[in-house]
Amino acid sequence: MVLVPTMGALHDGHAALVRRARKLAGKRGNVVVSIFVNPIQFGPKEDYSKYPRSPSQDLEICGACGADLVFRPSAEQMYHESRSVFVDESSLSQRLCGASRPGHFRGVCTVVAKLFLILRPDVAVFGEKDWQQLAIIRRMVRDLDFPIRIVGHPTIRERDGLAISSRNKYLTPEERAVAPDIYAALRKAAAGGRVMDILNAGRRMIEKISGARIDYLELVDAETIQPAKDFRRPMRLAVAVFLGKARLIDNILVPPRPQNL
Ligand code: AMP
């Protein structure tokens, strides 16, 4: 069985994951999509209650993309009111979104571990859009011996390059018009020669975007999510940007260099 965990408000990015799951499962296997807006991964000042929800459209998308089952528990079904056990990753989750959103990855790991135990998939598909999340889930599966294969799927983008996200709905038309400049900046910066210049170039370009405020821009080792030191290993240039009411994240591969530059 192949599982695609989501928080609903499904869009073309999620749809690509479900179609990928369908291929991985084959004709005989089952594809399960979980839809659960997980309260414990939101901070007290974050958008849990306002997070977009579109239940009937979600079911249509799941059906059209070949899902066999949609698992949509309530918060009360998932969490006992006196819950006291959580899954905490203690290294990869220290930086990037983990630093900006304390407790976020504890919430993510806990809910994903619970989904794995409830649904017992053989394979689970996650998007590269949330690169740090994908790396943390891989680490959790390795360290806790979950017998599950984790498959990463490339980021699905709008035609203008903006990574598709449920939170793009928060953008005004003006903000939406400049939002693709974030990915354009990542691409240009990542193509730079000397690794130290990549961050400076990226920061300069993103700061020029009207209304944008950088939460973080970091070049990290793609597997360990520590600041990149060995440039012969794959790296990820990862960014979070506040734009109006939205906090947008994106990341891009920075290929390994033949030597440390
Ligand atoms: P979410 O519903 O935002 O928690 O996302 C559920 C899954 O869909 C996660 O594995 C995300 O990384 C993935 N995902 C969200 N947006 C995209 C996208 N634009 N491209 C690929 N995967 C995505």
Side-chain angles (χ1 to χ4, degrees):
M1 185 261 274
V2 184
L3 172 66
V4 183
T6 81
M7 297 206 300
L10 300 185
H11 51 59
D12 289 352
H14 300 113
L17 266 54
V18 181
R19 285 194 294 265
R20 176 77 178 275
R22 183 69 268 159
K23 280 207 184 105
L24 289 164
K27 276 192 190 132
R28 293 185 172 185
N30 288 315
V31 172
V32 177
V33 178
S34 64
I35 297 181
F36 180 59
V37 186
N38 176 30
I40 70 164
Q41 73 184 64
F42 288 79
K45 291 185 185 147
E46 292 182 358
D47 56 347
Y48 173 65
S49 55
K50 295 201 184 99
Y51 193 82
R53 288 162 170 87
S54 50
S56 47
Q57 196 188 320
D58 288 353
L59 288 184
E60 267 174 43
I61 293 173
C62 290
C65 297
D68 299 296
L69 186 91
V70 175
F71 178 66
R72 225 167 27 171
S74 68
E76 292 70 30
Q77 286 168 322
M78 283 296 274
Y79 293 116
H80 199 282
E81 55 185 29
S82 62
R83 64 186 173 274
S84 57
V85 176
F86 300 88
V87 179
D88 216 349
E89 194 289 325
S90 60
S91 173
L92 287 70
S93 52
Q94 297 301 305
R95 313 191 66 83
L96 311 181
C97 288
S100 312
R101 305 180 67 189
H104 171 66
F105 286 117
R106 181 169 115 134
V108 170
C109 286
T110 302
V111 79
V112 171
K114 283 167 70 72
L115 291 169
F116 285 176
L117 290 166
I118 295 165
L119 297 165
R120 312 281 173 110
D122 305 291
V123 181
V125 185
F126 290 84
E128 292 183 354
K129 154 108 187 339
D130 300 274
W131 183 273
Q132 186 179 18
Q133 170 175 282
L134 172 61
I136 290 171
I137 297 297
R138 286 191 195 284
R139 179 62 64 94
M140 179 183 83
V141 162
R142 185 196 78 177
D143 286 0
L144 297 185
D145 304 297
F146 280 100
I148 299 174
R149 180 157 76 94
I150 303 301
V151 172
H153 193 81
T155 303
I156 306 299
R157 300 179 179 280
E158 305 282 5
R159 292 170 78 93
D160 57 15
L162 175 64
I164 302 180
S165 162
S166 312
R167 291 190 167 100
N168 293 349
K169 292 197 176 88
Y170 299 152
L171 299 171
T172 64
E174 293 74 25
E175 290 157 358
R176 174 63 188 83
V178 296
D181 295 354
I182 299 168
Y183 179 56
L186 287 186
R187 281 182 60 171
K188 277 189 206 141
R194 287 187 39 222
V195 172
M196 279 314 291
D197 296 335
I198 290 176
L199 282 174
N200 294 336
R203 186 165 285 279
R204 234 183 4 254
M205 286 184 274
I206 295 171
E207 279 170 353
K208 278 194 194 139
I209 301 172
S210 169
R213 183 166 65 79
I214 296 177
D215 180 15
Y216 64 72
L217 175 71
E218 283 197 55
L219 185 66
V220 294
D221 183 286
E223 187 189 331
T224 65
I225 317 292
Q226 301 306 310
K229 287 211 176 68
D230 183 352
F231 306 139
R232 292 162 303 182
R233 290 168 51 81
M235 294 164 276
R236 241 37 222 196
L237 182 60
V239 72
V241 175
F242 291 106
L243 191 56
K245 289 201 177 74
R247 178 176 172 281
L248 305 178
I249 61 169
D250 204 346
N251 69 85
I252 190 170
L253 170 76
V254 176
R257 318 273 140 147
Q259 64 208 40
N260 275 343
L261 290 172

